[in-house]
Amino acid sequence: MTHFFVKQMILAPTVALRIDESEFEKLKLSREILLSAKAIEEKYDLLISNFLELEKEILSQLAEHMIFSQFSYQDMYNLRSVLNRRVANLLTSTRLYYDQIEKHVRTCMKGENKFGKEVKAYFCDEYDTNFEYRFMEALRNHVQHYGLAVHSLSLPSKWVGENESKQMINQLKINSTKDELSQNKEFKSSVFSEMPEKVELTKAIRIYIGCFSNVHKRIRDLINFNVSLSRADIEDVIHRYKEVNAGDAIGISAYSVEEDDPSSMPIDKISILLDWDNVRLNLNEKNQSSKNMSKWYVSGSYL
């Protein structure tokens, strides 16, 4: 007969808390659910971080070109090259998020396949609603299999305001062009037919990431009950162990043994702690929903 306990895995004598098999299995499932929820947040954080790096790159390069007036062919090539790298990194992370999200959601929803399919429908909603989402998905496939994303760029500037309040606005425009994409005969025809002669990528990417933000919020809402319950299950056993062990629950594990002796060699063991799940909570707080991202911009104006 198998017996189940919770105790600190240390060399010194310590208290063992007896649990039953159903609670042991519940703790195992709760840990799997929290790990998958954390994986979802980590992949979204990777996506958002790559987006932030692209936005920062655009601002940094714009400031440098504004101050140093670097407009040679080599300067412009170097600029286009670094922007292509940032866009490629971003598109790789969006695909990673899309490809792996279904399995993580299924785990969070206790293995029910219908919820994985439901999540894929969230992406379909964004695809059907937004040209920019459709275009960026087609562009991602182009970058993965054929060519680069940034085909042309410009650095327009203009004066705004009057008299002493006049300021010069400097911008960096990056584009994917229809002419360049026409060379890829595998580029999605339906998207190609609806695109203009050039697509301004900064705007398109902001809308695209806003779509992912919408999807991520829906996923959080979908899994929230199971994830919160799973954390509460682990918090409960930690609290109960502290009550029988003078408030100390550092390094505890739930485990099974063949004999009714908590000092026997475990045949199955899971660590019981939540420090790593606190990372998930911090990522959840850090990466808030931002569906209106396309309407935001950073200004260096002092007015």
Side-chain angles (χ1 to χ4, degrees), residues 68-132:
F68 296 116
S69 300
Q70 298 170 310
F71 296 110
S72 71
Y73 182 89
Q74 187 64 47
D75 292 331
M76 299 303 279
Y77 171 81
N78 292 341
L79 175 56
R80 187 157 65 107
S81 179
V82 70
L83 292 172
N84 266 311
R85 185 169 70 248
R86 294 299 187 191
V87 173
N89 288 342
L90 174 61
L91 294 176
T92 298
S93 62
T94 59
R95 188 64 191 186
L96 184 149
Y97 181 92
Y98 177 84
D99 284 347
Q100 299 187 20
I101 198 70
E102 187 175 358
K103 68 178 181 181
H104 293 315
V105 169
R106 278 202 309 267
T107 299
C108 290
M109 302 306 290
K110 302 181 180 180
E112 293 192 51
N113 288 330
K114 67 177 182 178
F115 292 107
K117 294 177 181 178
E118 180 177 335
V119 164
K120 286 302 176 76
Y122 298 166
F123 291 100
C124 292
D125 291 343
E126 298 298 333
Y127 187 94
D128 293 340
T129 304
N130 298 281
F131 161 74
E132 288 80 7

Side-chain angles (χ1 to χ4, degrees), residues 5-22:
F5 298 94
V6 174
K7 78 178 184 74
Q8 290 176 301
M9 293 299 174
I10 57 178
L11 295 177
T14 186
V15 174
L17 174 68
R18 186 184 296 275
I19 60 175
D20 58 28
E21 182 176 7
S22 64

Side-chain angles (χ1 to χ4, degrees), residues 228-292:
S228 298
L229 190 61
S230 295
R231 183 176 174 98
D233 289 339
I234 294 178
E235 287 175 332
D236 177 66
V237 76
I238 292 173
H239 176 73
R240 282 157 49 206
Y241 191 83
K242 285 181 176 181
E243 287 186 328
V244 299
N245 195 46
D248 185 6
I250 296 175
I252 65 172
S253 293
Y255 63 101
S256 60
V257 292
E258 292 182 347
E259 301 176 7
D260 192 8
D261 179 1
S263 63
S264 299
M265 180 66 67
I267 56 178
D268 193 7
K269 181 177 70 171
I270 55 171
S271 179
I272 304 296
L273 74 163
L274 288 171
D275 296 47
W276 54 268
D277 190 55
N278 292 337
V279 173
R280 174 187 64 83
L281 295 179
N282 291 335
L283 289 175
N284 196 307
E285 182 65 25
K286 168 190 169 189
N287 296 321
Q288 296 294 318
S289 176
S290 48
K291 67 178 182 179
N292 291 321

